[in-house]
mmCIF file of all heavy atoms in Angstrom:
data_model
loop_
_atom_site.group_PDB
_atom_site.id
_atom_site.type_symbol
_atom_site.label_atom_id
_atom_site.label_comp_id
_atom_site.label_asym_id
_atom_site.label_seq_id
_atom_site.Cartn_x
_atom_site.Cartn_y
_atom_site.Cartn_z
ATOM 1 N N CYS A 845 94.815 82.532 96.929
ATOM 2 C CA CYS A 845 93.752 81.661 96.412
ATOM 3 C C CYS A 845 94.069 80.193 96.678
ATOM 4 O O CYS A 845 93.202 79.432 97.115
ATOM 5 C CB CYS A 845 93.551 81.899 94.913
ATOM 6 S SG CYS A 845 92.814 83.488 94.500
ATOM 7 N N VAL A 846 95.311 79.784 96.436
ATOM 8 C CA VAL A 846 95.709 78.391 96.675
ATOM 9 C C VAL A 846 95.625 78.070 98.168
ATOM 10 O O VAL A 846 95.169 76.987 98.553
ATOM 11 C CB VAL A 846 97.127 78.103 96.114
ATOM 12 C CG1 VAL A 846 97.621 76.736 96.538
ATOM 13 C CG2 VAL A 846 97.130 78.230 94.603
ATOM 14 N N LEU A 847 96.024 79.016 99.016
ATOM 15 C CA LEU A 847 95.933 78.808 100.460
ATOM 16 C C LEU A 847 94.485 78.550 100.877
ATOM 17 O O LEU A 847 94.204 77.626 101.648
ATOM 18 C CB LEU A 847 96.490 80.018 101.212
ATOM 19 C CG LEU A 847 96.348 79.967 102.732
ATOM 20 C CD1 LEU A 847 97.172 78.825 103.327
ATOM 21 C CD2 LEU A 847 96.745 81.300 103.347
ATOM 22 N N LEU A 848 93.564 79.343 100.347
ATOM 23 C CA LEU A 848 92.148 79.150 100.699
ATOM 24 C C LEU A 848 91.646 77.793 100.219
ATOM 25 O O LEU A 848 90.889 77.121 100.921
ATOM 26 C CB LEU A 848 91.295 80.288 100.119
ATOM 27 C CG LEU A 848 91.499 81.639 100.812
ATOM 28 C CD1 LEU A 848 90.805 82.750 100.032
ATOM 29 C CD2 LEU A 848 90.993 81.592 102.245
ATOM 30 N N LYS A 849 92.084 77.360 99.040
ATOM 31 C CA LYS A 849 91.698 76.036 98.546
ATOM 32 C C LYS A 849 92.266 74.942 99.445
ATOM 33 O O LYS A 849 91.598 73.949 99.713
ATOM 34 C CB LYS A 849 92.165 75.840 97.108
ATOM 35 C CG LYS A 849 91.397 76.694 96.113
ATOM 36 C CD LYS A 849 91.949 76.515 94.722
ATOM 37 C CE LYS A 849 91.378 77.522 93.758
ATOM 38 N NZ LYS A 849 92.020 77.454 92.448
ATOM 39 N N LYS A 850 93.492 75.130 99.938
ATOM 40 C CA LYS A 850 94.090 74.149 100.847
ATOM 41 C C LYS A 850 93.345 74.117 102.187
ATOM 42 O O LYS A 850 93.392 73.116 102.884
ATOM 43 C CB LYS A 850 95.568 74.447 101.064
ATOM 44 C CG LYS A 850 96.430 74.112 99.875
ATOM 45 C CD LYS A 850 97.895 74.273 100.188
ATOM 46 C CE LYS A 850 98.760 73.813 99.049
ATOM 47 N NZ LYS A 850 98.846 72.379 98.906
ATOM 48 N N LEU A 851 92.659 75.205 102.526
ATOM 49 C CA LEU A 851 91.841 75.249 103.742
ATOM 50 C C LEU A 851 90.416 74.782 103.451
ATOM 51 O O LEU A 851 89.506 75.015 104.239
ATOM 52 C CB LEU A 851 91.832 76.679 104.319
ATOM 53 C CG LEU A 851 93.166 77.173 104.873
ATOM 54 C CD1 LEU A 851 93.079 78.650 105.240
ATOM 55 C CD2 LEU A 851 93.595 76.348 106.079
ATOM 56 N N ASP A 852 90.217 74.128 102.295
ATOM 57 C CA ASP A 852 88.951 73.512 101.873
ATOM 58 C C ASP A 852 87.862 74.507 101.502
ATOM 59 O O ASP A 852 86.669 74.195 101.608
ATOM 60 C CB ASP A 852 88.434 72.536 102.940
ATOM 61 C CG ASP A 852 89.367 71.356 103.115
ATOM 62 O OD1 ASP A 852 89.953 70.914 102.112
ATOM 63 O OD2 ASP A 852 89.511 70.882 104.258
ATOM 64 N N PHE A 853 88.242 75.701 101.060
ATOM 65 C CA PHE A 853 87.255 76.625 100.512
ATOM 66 C C PHE A 853 87.017 76.256 99.060
ATOM 67 O O PHE A 853 87.924 75.801 98.363
ATOM 68 C CB PHE A 853 87.761 78.074 100.589
ATOM 69 C CG PHE A 853 87.611 78.706 101.936
ATOM 70 C CD1 PHE A 853 88.573 78.525 102.912
ATOM 71 C CD2 PHE A 853 86.512 79.492 102.238
ATOM 72 C CE1 PHE A 853 88.452 79.101 104.159
ATOM 73 C CE2 PHE A 853 86.379 80.076 103.478
ATOM 74 C CZ PHE A 853 87.336 79.884 104.440
ATOM 75 N N GLU A 854 85.784 76.455 98.601
ATOM 76 C CA GLU A 854 85.454 76.228 97.199
ATOM 77 C C GLU A 854 85.446 77.571 96.494
ATOM 78 O O GLU A 854 84.906 78.548 97.012
ATOM 79 C CB GLU A 854 84.082 75.565 97.080
ATOM 80 C CG GLU A 854 84.057 74.165 97.642
ATOM 81 C CD GLU A 854 82.699 73.503 97.507
ATOM 82 O OE1 GLU A 854 81.873 73.970 96.695
ATOM 83 O OE2 GLU A 854 82.469 72.526 98.224
ATOM 84 N N GLU A 855 86.049 77.615 95.305
ATOM 85 C CA GLU A 855 86.167 78.874 94.567
ATOM 86 C C GLU A 855 85.161 78.926 93.427
ATOM 87 O O GLU A 855 84.929 77.945 92.735
ATOM 88 C CB GLU A 855 87.584 79.009 93.993
ATOM 89 C CG GLU A 855 87.791 80.280 93.209
ATOM 90 C CD GLU A 855 89.191 80.393 92.624
ATOM 91 O OE1 GLU A 855 89.904 79.375 92.570
ATOM 92 O OE2 GLU A 855 89.561 81.503 92.223
ATOM 93 N N ARG A 856 84.568 80.103 93.265
ATOM 94 C CA ARG A 856 83.701 80.395 92.121
ATOM 95 C C ARG A 856 84.166 81.728 91.573
ATOM 96 O O ARG A 856 84.418 82.667 92.330
ATOM 97 C CB ARG A 856 82.249 80.489 92.570
ATOM 98 C CG ARG A 856 81.267 80.748 91.459
ATOM 99 C CD ARG A 856 79.851 80.734 91.990
ATOM 100 N NE ARG A 856 79.665 81.797 92.951
ATOM 101 C CZ ARG A 856 78.858 82.828 92.789
ATOM 102 N NH1 ARG A 856 78.136 82.934 91.694
ATOM 103 N NH2 ARG A 856 78.746 83.759 93.705
ATOM 104 N N THR A 857 84.312 81.825 90.260
ATOM 105 C CA THR A 857 84.791 83.060 89.649
ATOM 106 C C THR A 857 83.686 83.679 88.809
ATOM 107 O O THR A 857 83.051 82.994 88.017
ATOM 108 C CB THR A 857 86.023 82.786 88.757
ATOM 109 O OG1 THR A 857 87.005 82.117 89.538
ATOM 110 C CG2 THR A 857 86.606 84.075 88.214
ATOM 111 N N ARG A 858 83.469 84.983 89.048
ATOM 112 C CA ARG A 858 82.516 85.748 88.242
ATOM 113 C C ARG A 858 83.206 87.036 87.834
ATOM 114 O O ARG A 858 83.382 87.935 88.654
ATOM 115 C CB ARG A 858 81.256 86.048 89.035
ATOM 116 C CG ARG A 858 80.480 84.773 89.362
ATOM 117 C CD ARG A 858 79.120 85.069 89.889
ATOM 118 N NE ARG A 858 78.307 85.793 88.919
ATOM 119 C CZ ARG A 858 77.198 85.345 88.395
ATOM 120 N NH1 ARG A 858 76.757 84.156 88.721
ATOM 121 N NH2 ARG A 858 76.498 86.065 87.561
ATOM 122 N N GLY A 859 83.652 87.077 86.597
ATOM 123 C CA GLY A 859 84.414 88.222 86.124
ATOM 124 C C GLY A 859 85.737 88.295 86.860
ATOM 125 O O GLY A 859 86.489 87.340 86.895
ATOM 126 N N SER A 860 86.002 89.442 87.493
ATOM 127 C CA SER A 860 87.259 89.597 88.227
ATOM 128 C C SER A 860 87.129 89.200 89.693
ATOM 129 O O SER A 860 88.087 89.282 90.444
ATOM 130 C CB SER A 860 87.730 91.054 88.137
ATOM 131 O OG SER A 860 86.798 91.904 88.782
ATOM 132 N N HIS A 861 85.948 88.774 90.100
ATOM 133 C CA HIS A 861 85.698 88.417 91.497
ATOM 134 C C HIS A 861 85.905 86.911 91.702
ATOM 135 O O HIS A 861 85.321 86.102 90.997
ATOM 136 C CB HIS A 861 84.273 88.791 91.912
ATOM 137 C CG HIS A 861 84.026 90.253 91.897
ATOM 138 N ND1 HIS A 861 84.065 91.026 93.021
ATOM 139 C CD2 HIS A 861 83.743 91.096 90.889
ATOM 140 C CE1 HIS A 861 83.813 92.271 92.710
ATOM 141 N NE2 HIS A 861 83.621 92.346 91.409
ATOM 142 N N HIS A 862 86.717 86.581 92.669
ATOM 143 C CA HIS A 862 86.936 85.193 93.067
ATOM 144 C C HIS A 862 86.266 85.035 94.423
ATOM 145 O O HIS A 862 86.686 85.641 95.406
ATOM 146 C CB HIS A 862 88.438 84.887 93.169
ATOM 147 C CG HIS A 862 89.134 84.982 91.850
ATOM 148 N ND1 HIS A 862 89.518 83.874 91.144
ATOM 149 C CD2 HIS A 862 89.497 86.053 91.099
ATOM 150 C CE1 HIS A 862 90.103 84.259 90.018
ATOM 151 N NE2 HIS A 862 90.093 85.582 89.978
ATOM 152 N N ILE A 863 85.209 84.228 94.448
ATOM 153 C CA ILE A 863 84.393 84.080 95.651
ATOM 154 C C ILE A 863 84.669 82.713 96.254
ATOM 155 O O ILE A 863 84.580 81.685 95.574
ATOM 156 C CB ILE A 863 82.904 84.251 95.311
ATOM 157 C CG1 ILE A 863 82.693 85.639 94.691
ATOM 158 C CG2 ILE A 863 82.032 84.063 96.549
ATOM 159 C CD1 ILE A 863 81.405 85.804 93.943
ATOM 160 N N PHE A 864 85.001 82.715 97.539
ATOM 161 C CA PHE A 864 85.341 81.486 98.252
ATOM 162 C C PHE A 864 84.321 81.246 99.358
ATOM 163 O O PHE A 864 83.980 82.156 100.111
ATOM 164 C CB PHE A 864 86.742 81.595 98.878
ATOM 165 C CG PHE A 864 87.838 81.651 97.863
ATOM 166 C CD1 PHE A 864 88.220 82.861 97.306
ATOM 167 C CD2 PHE A 864 88.478 80.498 97.445
ATOM 168 C CE1 PHE A 864 89.231 82.925 96.360
ATOM 169 C CE2 PHE A 864 89.489 80.546 96.495
ATOM 170 C CZ PHE A 864 89.864 81.761 95.949
ATOM 171 N N ARG A 865 83.836 80.010 99.426
ATOM 172 C CA ARG A 865 82.902 79.594 100.476
ATOM 173 C C ARG A 865 83.370 78.274 101.052
ATOM 174 O O ARG A 865 84.004 77.481 100.374
ATOM 175 C CB ARG A 865 81.493 79.426 99.926
ATOM 176 C CG ARG A 865 80.858 80.723 99.499
ATOM 177 C CD ARG A 865 79.449 80.463 98.976
ATOM 178 N NE ARG A 865 78.831 81.721 98.669
ATOM 179 C CZ ARG A 865 77.824 82.233 99.358
ATOM 180 N NH1 ARG A 865 77.312 81.572 100.352
ATOM 181 N NH2 ARG A 865 77.306 83.388 99.023
ATOM 182 N N LYS A 866 82.986 78.073 102.302
ATOM 183 C CA LYS A 866 83.330 76.813 102.975
ATOM 184 C C LYS A 866 82.164 76.428 103.857
ATOM 185 O O LYS A 866 81.608 77.273 104.568
ATOM 186 C CB LYS A 866 84.602 76.997 103.809
ATOM 187 C CG LYS A 866 85.016 75.754 104.572
ATOM 188 C CD LYS A 866 86.283 76.018 105.359
ATOM 189 C CE LYS A 866 86.563 74.877 106.301
ATOM 190 N NZ LYS A 866 87.652 74.050 105.853
ATOM 191 N N GLU A 867 81.803 75.173 103.820
ATOM 192 C CA GLU A 867 80.737 74.676 104.677
ATOM 193 C C GLU A 867 81.132 74.884 106.137
ATOM 194 O O GLU A 867 82.264 74.596 106.539
ATOM 195 C CB GLU A 867 80.502 73.193 104.403
ATOM 196 C CG GLU A 867 79.260 72.663 105.062
ATOM 197 C CD GLU A 867 78.946 71.242 104.633
ATOM 198 O OE1 GLU A 867 79.130 70.923 103.445
ATOM 199 O OE2 GLU A 867 78.525 70.458 105.504
#
Side-chain angles (χ1 to χ4, degrees):
C845 290
V846 172
L847 175 65
L848 289 170
K849 290 177 190 173
K850 287 186 174 285
L851 292 172
D852 295 325
F853 280 85
E854 294 181 18
E855 180 181 16
R856 182 176 63 115
T857 305
R858 294 192 61 118
S860 64
H861 295 261
H862 295 256
I863 301 163
F864 293 86
R865 292 180 176 249
K866 178 180 170 106
E867 190 173 321

